[in-house]
Amino acid sequence: MSYQVGIDVGGTFTDGVLIHKNNLIKKTKVPTQHDNLLDTLLHALEHLDVFKQPVEQITVSTTLVTNAILENKLPPIELFLFPGSGMRLDALPWPVPYHAFMGEIDYRGREVSPPDELEWRRLCNQLDFEAVPQAAIVSKFSHRNRVLEDALAQFLSKKYPQLDIALGCEWGHANFYRRSLTTYLNTASKNLYKTFASQLHQAVAKNGSKAGITVLKADGGILPIDQLRPVESINSGPAASVIGALAQTDPQQSFVVVDIGGTTTDIGLILSGEPLLSAQGARIGPFLTLIPTLATRSIPVGGDSAVLPAPDVPEGFTLAPYRQGPAYCLGGEYPTPTDAMRYLKRVEHGDYARAEEGLASLLPAEGRNPHALQGLALKILEKFAEEVANAFSLLHKEWQEEPAYKVWEVLHPHSAKDFYIWVSGGSARGIAPSLEDKVHLPVRFTQHADVSNAIGAALARPTLSCTLHLDTTIRSYRIEEFGEQKEWLGSKRPHKEVQEFLQEIARERARTIGLNLHELEFKTQPFDFFPVVKGYATVGQIIRGSVVVPPGVVGRLEV
């Protein structure tokens, strides 16, 4: 096996690892330049001597699209909707403007009322497609019939050939609201992501490397950078935390992952060696999406969170939900939890004298003695651990409502009592004692906890899911994950042929996106068969089933 590289772009640092035969050969940390992620990635690759090794694959966990969404830096696009009847669009919190049209599809994909082309012409006369050259078209129930979206797309393409048009049916899941926002975000981020991917390819090739470049997705799987839909890269940081933990632990254990970065802390869950997937799509800022994601949560507290004086509270300080530069012991302007760890000698990075000086600034001059400083440092870490413990408590209640968790709980009725906390990040060693006291669970970490996310990126395996919805009565089928809609040519009451049909679609999909997956890696989920009865006769079936390659790792790090 050749060398594997993992790069995780964090809010404060970008971590990188070089791995060969499940052994970590080299690791690095470089400051993240949010305004120039390409340079940040190249610096990390150079520090790892990637261009001097026969590297087979470089996997990146990138915040490019996430940052663009949260910082409101996406270009405007026109969003056209066919909401149909039965719902009011203004009853939903739309974070973007939209235009609504007539025309309706019912829940089985049948056209109820046609669109009004005159309505389209009137609106187009009011819009400037030269200033806004992108459009997204989404119809309710378009995941079952795309006819309205296709009709408007053809109309716009004839009238405005330069217009870049995206359709909501490409996201084949139910939920009109989430599908609309997902289509919007993916369309708006497409050009930004395409430029980034092209530049990264050119930079790697220019340095003489023939390594393939893949990106970590929100569901913990990887995909070639050219095949990824941009919005699928959101939440890749928390996913890297979970997969990194999986790559360094026993494959059958159940535990909570707490990854402490400089800016945020990510929390996730592994059940008997499998990451917990969320039944809902990923959320980013005000946007609810259909992006498959691990059941994770990021909280705005990290090792570099600013500690501010607050004489009116019992502790005498507050832990700010933001970062004001590096820790004081590393040349920053504000004391942080990292300074508390350094003063207590739980970590070795940073200047000890500056850590002491930073903590002293939070105390009155007459109270600056070693005993008081030690008490303050312990209180800061206690407060930090309390924030994490509270988030874990709330998140654990949400996890227990996840269908996958409920199934696992039935199959493993005693395992929940064996949970422990697996801590990663640069502050893992420093926060472990305080966190153990607050959560009342054992806390563990490994020697490479500081670059665990990059390890997760390097050792993550591809994921793939193909969910079939077949209605033999109207002779149509669709594949949920990528919006394929076609005519069913088989029998009206199929059985085994449906599973073989779906498996072949999954294998073809894997080949299309460049994944080398064998049939044995697919897991076939149970199929549901619902007869359609008319009068006293069965006239067809509605069938649902799926085959998946769940998130996991290609190897486990030797530690």
Side-chain angles (χ1 to χ4, degrees):
M1 183 183 292
S2 300
Y3 290 81
Q4 297 159 293
V5 172
I7 305 289
D8 175 69
V9 181
T12 306
F13 287 101
T14 291
D15 299 339
V17 295
L18 179 66
I19 294 176
H20 182 54
K21 294 182 178 179
N22 294 334
N23 287 286
L24 194 150
I25 306 301
K26 196 168 186 178
K27 61 183 179 181
T28 187
K29 277 182 178 287
V30 299
T32 299
Q33 305 173 51
H34 289 287
D35 57 344
N36 196 337
L37 292 184
L38 181 63
D39 273 2
T40 301
L41 289 170
L42 291 177
H43 287 158
L45 292 173
E46 289 169 359
H47 287 191
L48 293 172
D49 293 331
V50 167
F51 305 122
K52 300 178 182 179
Q53 309 289 350
V55 173
E56 179 181 78
Q57 178 178 295
I58 298 172
T59 302
V60 177
S61 167
T62 174
T63 59
L64 179 74
V65 175
T66 300
N67 291 345
I69 295 172
L70 295 179
E71 295 171 10
N72 198 27
K73 291 183 177 179
L74 294 178
I77 71 168
E78 299 293 354
L79 177 60
F80 300 121
L81 304 177
F82 292 93
S85 59
M87 69 178 299
R88 288 181 50 187
L89 290 184
D90 58 6
L92 298 169
W94 292 87
V96 294
Y98 60 85
H99 307 283
F101 291 133
M102 296 173 60
E104 183 175 356
I105 302 294
D106 75 3
Y107 70 98
R108 284 188 65 186
R110 298 168 296 192
E111 187 173 357
V112 175
S113 62
D116 183 356
E117 188 172 311
L118 181 59
E119 189 180 33
W120 301 349
R121 295 182 184 278
R122 288 172 180 165
L123 182 62
C124 287
N125 290 333
Q126 303 171 20
L127 301 177
D128 183 0
F129 286 115
E130 290 188 2
V132 184
Q134 290 181 293
I137 306 171
V138 189
S139 162
K140 187 163 67 169
F141 298 122
S142 66
H143 61 297
R144 294 180 179 170
N145 189 339
R146 55 188 289 170
V147 61
L148 295 180
E149 294 180 4
D150 282 341
L152 179 54
Q154 290 173 10
F155 171 84
L156 292 174
S157 294
K158 290 180 181 179
K159 195 172 179 65
Y160 309 100
Q162 81 286 357
L163 188 62
D164 180 17
I165 302 172
L167 304 183
C169 61
E170 296 169 5
W171 306 89
H173 299 267
N175 196 313
F176 171 61
Y177 178 66
R178 285 178 179 261
R179 188 164 64 257
S180 300
L181 296 182
T182 304
T183 308
Y184 177 93
L185 289 178
N186 195 67
T187 308
S189 59
K190 185 164 58 175
N191 289 336
L192 172 71
Y193 179 84
K194 184 178 180 180
T195 300
F196 168 77
S198 175
Q199 290 176 342
L200 184 56
H201 264 307
Q202 292 174 11
V204 170
K206 184 179 179 181
N207 282 278
S209 176
K210 296 181 180 179
I213 302 175
T214 59
V215 177
L216 190 69
K217 302 184 293 177
D219 68 353
I222 61 172
L223 203 60
I225 192 169
D226 297 327
Q227 296 291 334
L228 186 83
R229 294 182 286 189
V231 76
E232 290 178 315
S233 67
I234 65 174
N235 282 6
S236 63
S241 305
V242 174
I243 302 302
L246 191 63
Q248 300 175 77
T249 53
D250 186 287
Q252 299 302 319
Q253 292 181 334
S254 301
F255 54 94
V256 179
V257 179
V258 176
D259 180 72
I260 301 168
T263 308
T264 61
T265 293
D266 300 327
I267 305 174
L269 182 65
I270 290 177
L271 299 174
S272 300
E274 294 189 4
L276 178 64
L277 282 161
S278 173
Q280 300 293 324
R283 176 170 190 159
I284 178 165
F287 294 92
L288 298 176
T289 76
L290 289 174
I291 304 303
T293 182
L294 301 184
T296 58
R297 176 70 53 80
S298 294
I299 60 174
V301 60
D304 290 346
S305 295
V307 180
L308 306 175
D312 54 331
V313 300
E315 296 89 352
F317 65 87
T318 59
L319 192 58
Y322 51 80
R323 179 178 182 266
Q324 291 277 53
Y328 198 89
C329 64
L330 294 171
E333 298 181 7
Y334 293 85
T336 67
T338 298
D339 294 290
M341 298 175 200
R342 182 68 186 98
Y343 181 76
L344 295 173
K345 298 182 179 179
R346 294 184 182 179
V347 297
E348 298 177 356
H349 54 272
D351 183 89
Y352 185 87
R354 277 192 61 85
E356 183 177 24
E357 180 183 335
L359 294 177
S361 68
L362 299 171
L363 295 172
E366 64 276 9
R368 295 174 182 174
N369 57 69
H371 179 74
L373 287 171
Q374 184 173 21
L376 174 62
L378 289 171
K379 285 182 180 179
I380 291 172
L381 298 186
E382 181 181 337
K383 182 66 175 176
F384 187 110
E386 185 179 5
E387 296 275 354
V388 175
N390 290 342
F392 162 65
S393 180
L394 292 173
L395 191 54
H396 188 249
K397 292 178 182 178
E398 294 180 19
W399 287 336
Q400 290 176 315
E401 296 303 315
E402 291 284 352
Y405 188 102
K406 291 181 177 180
V407 171
W408 173 82
E409 205 168 27
V410 171
L411 297 175
H412 305 82
H414 304 295
S415 295
K417 298 177 183 178
D418 301 326
F419 275 6
Y420 64 88
I421 304 291
W422 196 90
V423 187
S424 59
S427 301
R429 185 181 301 275
I431 199 61
S434 301
L435 190 58
E436 195 167 58
D437 290 342
K438 280 293 178 183
V439 183
H440 305 298
L441 290 174
V443 173
R444 304 176 188 174
F445 52 87
T446 66
Q447 67 186 94
H448 299 308
D450 57 329
V451 290
S452 182
N453 285 20
I455 293 170
L459 296 180
R461 73 182 183 192
T463 55
L464 182 66
S465 177
C466 289
T467 303
L468 172 71
H469 291 262
L470 168 62
D471 189 334
T472 67
T473 309
I474 59 176
R475 291 202 168 278
S476 72
Y477 76 87
R478 62 188 176 90
I479 303 299
E480 189 173 275
E481 286 74 12
F482 40 96
E484 179 179 312
Q485 298 179 14
K486 291 186 177 179
E487 181 184 4
W488 170 250
L489 302 176
S491 68
K492 285 200 169 185
R493 299 179 67 180
H495 187 62
K496 187 176 181 180
E497 67 178 283
V498 178
Q499 296 187 23
E500 296 173 349
F501 173 73
L502 181 56
Q503 287 175 356
E504 181 53 38
I505 288 177
R507 286 192 289 269
E508 179 58 33
R509 178 63 177 174
R511 288 192 291 268
T512 300
I513 60 179
L515 301 183
N516 183 22
L517 299 175
H518 302 291
E519 185 175 347
L520 292 177
E521 293 179 303
F522 287 105
K523 291 185 178 180
T524 302
Q525 307 291 350
F527 276 62
D528 296 319
F529 295 81
F530 301 95
V532 178
V533 178
K534 188 175 183 179
Y536 294 96
T538 299
V539 296
Q541 289 179 313
I542 295 176
I543 302 169
R544 185 183 188 277
S546 62
V547 293
V548 301
V549 178
V553 292
V554 296
R556 296 185 183 271
L557 194 70
E558 299 290 341
V559 294

